Amino acid sequence: MDIVYKQNQNVFNYRVVAVWIEQDHILLHKQVEDSYWSLPGGRVAMGEASQESLKREMQEELGIDIHVEQLIMVNENFFPYKEWDFHEIGFYYKVKSTDRAIFQKDAFHGLEGDRLLYKWIPIENLSEVQVYPQEVKDMLAHQPNETMHIVSKK
């Protein structure tokens, strides 16, 4: 069971996020109908450690095994999405994989169908792309050596 709690128009969500950089590109994804991008990941399941959740999510969504390297950001994110007001706690982990076939020039869909679109974006071009939470751009530009704590309110 995913750790997500809904009450009235409010949603609490516990999310894990992959910060995956290959050849100076970052992997982003988005709902096909959305105009903005975010880092891939998913919800943590009850009784599952966050790193294990991220490994499971990447296997389910992309069919790849990842190595989780370092927790680089904890994000308390408050944002509206569709008819919901979200309060999300996100653990952002730097990850790597030995599977280089996933790195490609064009946008692509994952294993879960056409709902999500993935794309490797050059980090130098991130200023041209709408990414949420917005603090992700700053985190990627500075690539901290210690874990950051960020509160995002949209």
Side-chain angles (χ1 to χ4, degrees):
M1 177 173 78
D2 288 341
I3 301 175
V4 60
Y5 174 73
K6 295 180 180 179
Q7 182 181 32
N8 302 323
Q9 297 305 115
N10 300 301
V11 177
F12 173 79
N13 193 38
Y14 178 18
R15 185 168 189 261
V16 287
V17 181
V19 180
W20 189 359
I21 298 171
E22 291 289 339
Q23 301 176 28
D24 296 321
H25 288 64
I26 183 82
L27 182 63
L28 299 178
H29 78 169
K30 70 178 191 124
Q31 298 278 343
V32 170
E33 71 273 7
D34 289 342
S35 61
Y36 63 89
W37 297 84
S38 63
L39 294 169
R43 292 185 172 138
V44 175
M46 188 67 71
E48 188 176 49
S50 60
Q51 291 184 359
E52 294 307 311
S53 294
L54 187 54
K55 290 177 183 180
R56 175 185 49 76
E57 286 288 341
M58 298 303 281
Q59 184 59 236
E60 289 173 0
E61 293 180 9
L62 296 171
I64 53 138
D65 294 321
I66 60 164
H67 172 70
V68 178
E69 294 187 338
Q70 175 189 356
L71 177 64
I72 58 176
M73 184 170 78
V74 175
N75 180 234
E76 296 179 64
N77 196 3
F78 300 86
F79 61 96
Y81 183 71
K82 297 184 178 176
E83 70 274 5
W84 301 97
D85 290 320
F86 276 78
H87 176 174
E88 181 176 87
I89 303 295
F91 283 18
Y92 288 64
Y93 287 100
K94 185 175 182 182
V95 304
K96 289 289 182 192
S97 178
T98 57
D99 186 347
R100 299 290 182 245
I102 192 77
F103 185 80
Q104 50 191 285
K105 187 176 184 180
D106 298 321
F108 61 97
H109 295 284
L111 299 178
E112 296 179 321
D114 296 342
R115 181 179 63 88
L116 289 174
L117 187 65
Y118 294 83
K119 187 165 185 173
W120 290 95
I121 305 286
I123 292 175
E124 65 184 24
N125 295 350
L126 269 180
S127 62
E128 303 165 14
V129 180
Q130 190 176 15
V131 178
Y132 287 114
Q134 294 176 353
E135 292 81 0
V136 164
K137 289 181 182 183
D138 188 51
M139 183 227 357
L140 291 170
H142 295 97
Q143 306 229 357
N145 291 326
E146 56 188 43
T147 304
M148 299 172 60
H149 172 235
I150 303 291
V151 178
S152 304
K153 290 193 175 188
K154 185 175 177 188

